[in-house]
Amino acid sequence: MEETKWKKCSQIHRSRCQQISVLLVGGAIDSVNIQAHAKINLHLEVVRKRKDGYHEIETLFHSLTLHDNIEIRKRCDAGIRIDCNNARIPLDKRNLAYQAADLFCQQMLIKNGINIKIKKRIPIASGLAGGSADAAAVLQGMNRLFEVGLGVEDLKKMGIKLGADVPFCLTGGAGIGYGVGEVLTKISPLDDVPILLVNPGLEISAASAYQGLDLRHSRQLRDVKISAKYVEEGNLRGVSQSLYNRLENSVFQSYPAISILKEELGCLPESYGSLMSGSGATVFAIMSNDIEAIKSSEVLKRKFPICIVARTSPFGLKIA
Ligand code: ATP
């Protein structure tokens, strides 16, 4: 009798211990892994230059499957340490991932040190928002790692302090961006459409692309809503016919090779149309199928250093 009672007690104790150990493991997270996705702009109109020097734009963003991998790990000592597989990425305060971690720690009063490991796949300074995607991943990753529980709107308010594309990278998918790109309206994304990305080996800073822009002449502004409607309908022909980027003219004047590349991608078999993304230098083509996208990229690789076949993605971040 006594023995049965003891057995029962010990079973309950064991099961409680198991519960507690699960809670401890679940609660005390040491690291998070996040996929930080690239974006393209299917439409980019520059509305005006503001008094503070920034340009007001209307743009249609779309996330891609192409992504960097970010690992954030707690450290016993203080400080933020960055490690990256690409030697051309700064590892100090100039890195947007560093700035994001620093801002999050300051605003949330976090004293813990962290290591951030960046596996870079998104080409640098290429109009694909690689730095912004990394910053967005760090904000969301820190939120998870330290169990702060901020909503995406709070993170977007932090994100805009780091860069105009950070708020979109936090939400991802497809969205219209107003203001400097931070006032976002989400729309239904395209469903797994192959996108061929080609970069002629040029790095263009967004600042230099906007500097070359001449906004004095009167012009008709292109309406972003037309492209957005085609995206929501999944009408690839419509999306391709309305592809537009106001920055192309100024960038093409300085780098005629990008204009030639755009024409070449537009003429590929099974290409619906082509456009320079953001401030360049990457040009993308919307392709009708994967096989043709891969075949074309194999041929183009002989001429251009960066040729990547990606797809449209319904999200900007993925936490593993
Ligand atoms: P956008 O499309 O938002 O204008 P981009 O793709 O043209 O961005 P990035 O790849 O973000 O440009 O790089 C712009 C600059 O930011 C580069 O000079 C790079 O050295 C610097 N940088 C800082 N942190 C990062 C990072 N984590 N990843 C990439 N670049 C970074």
Side-chain angles (χ1 to χ4, degrees):
M1 182 72 179
E2 268 309 296
E3 202 188 349
T4 338
K5 222 170 158 186
W6 184 87
K7 263 189 189 161
K8 242 186 184 165
C9 275
S10 116
Q11 268 169 7
I12 291 167
H13 176 73
R14 258 208 312 271
S15 111
R16 281 203 182 135
C17 282
Q18 273 163 3
Q19 273 177 15
I20 290 166
S21 80
V22 168
L23 280 176
L24 281 178
V25 171
I29 314 167
D30 285 327
S31 67
V32 283
N33 289 284
I34 311 120
Q35 291 182 3
H37 288 252
K39 62 81 187 159
I40 48 172
N41 303 79
L42 297 167
H43 178 104
L44 176 51
E45 177 60 286
V46 182
V47 180
R48 68 184 180 98
K49 189 172 179 180
R50 297 193 319 204
K51 281 191 183 139
D52 61 10
Y54 286 97
H55 287 86
E56 214 157 88
I57 60 168
E58 286 187 4
T59 189
L60 178 54
F61 295 109
H62 209 302
S63 299
L64 298 180
T65 51
L66 172 68
H67 61 271
D68 291 344
N69 283 90
I70 309 286
E71 183 198 86
I72 313 173
R73 188 170 284 281
K74 284 179 188 165
R75 276 208 343 237
C76 301
D77 51 346
I80 300 164
R81 204 157 53 205
I82 307 262
D83 176 26
C84 183
N85 62 336
N86 186 323
R88 290 185 14 259
I89 296 287
L91 303 178
D92 52 18
K93 286 185 179 177
R94 288 167 298 164
N95 194 306
L96 274 171
Y98 185 107
Q99 291 170 27
D102 199 27
L103 182 68
F104 195 91
C105 287
Q106 275 179 35
Q107 297 212 346
M108 295 300 121
L109 307 174
I110 290 168
K111 301 272 177 266
N112 242 102
I114 50 158
N115 284 336
I116 301 175
K117 211 181 250 182
I118 304 173
K119 186 167 180 189
K120 199 91 204 136
R121 291 199 194 83
I122 305 173
I124 305 163
S126 62
L128 300 174
S132 302
D134 293 355
V138 168
L139 291 179
Q140 190 57 277
M142 299 278 287
N143 192 34
R144 179 70 65 93
L145 186 61
F146 294 101
E147 298 174 278
V148 179
L150 292 182
V152 78
E153 290 306 317
D154 296 318
L155 294 174
K156 275 156 91 175
K157 279 181 201 146
M158 269 192 219
I160 190 59
K161 294 184 177 149
L162 301 163
D165 291 339
V166 181
F168 171 74
C169 293
L170 279 158
T171 51
I176 305 175
Y178 298 102
V180 292
E182 87 288 16
V183 183
L184 292 160
T185 306
K186 280 206 92 169
I187 62 165
S188 313
L190 291 169
D191 186 15
D192 218 18
V193 174
I195 305 286
L196 174 60
L197 302 161
V198 183
N199 187 304
L202 294 166
E203 288 182 11
I204 300 175
S205 76
S208 71
Y210 278 96
Q211 256 165 26
L213 201 60
D214 189 356
L215 291 172
R216 282 172 309 171
H217 303 298
S218 64
R219 64 193 192 282
Q220 286 234 286
L221 296 179
R222 296 277 202 104
D223 190 356
V224 67
K225 293 201 186 93
I226 297 169
S227 314
K229 179 176 149 284
Y230 288 133
V231 167
E232 291 220 281
E233 292 169 356
N235 177 349
L236 292 186
R237 224 163 265 292
V239 173
S240 304
Q241 275 161 12
S242 57
L243 286 173
Y244 177 73
N245 185 344
R246 169 70 62 185
L247 295 175
E248 278 188 343
N249 278 346
S250 64
V251 173
F252 290 176
Q253 268 174 27
S254 309
Y255 304 97
I258 305 174
S259 164
I260 296 164
L261 170 62
K262 181 188 168 180
E263 267 188 37
E264 193 169 348
L265 294 197
C267 296
L268 290 174
E270 306 299 324
S271 159
Y272 279 113
S274 57
L275 191 73
M276 183 181 84
S277 183
S279 51
T282 302
V283 178
F284 65 87
I286 300 178
M287 303 296 288
S288 67
N289 70 71
D290 281 334
I291 297 169
E292 282 301 329
I294 292 165
K295 266 196 212 161
S296 297
S297 93
E298 290 305 322
V299 175
L300 290 162
K301 265 180 194 160
R302 293 179 207 143
K303 264 203 296 189
F304 301 103
I306 300 171
C307 299
I308 299 167
V309 178
R311 288 204 185 79
T312 55
S313 160
F315 47 80
L317 297 177
K318 191 173 178 189
I319 300 200

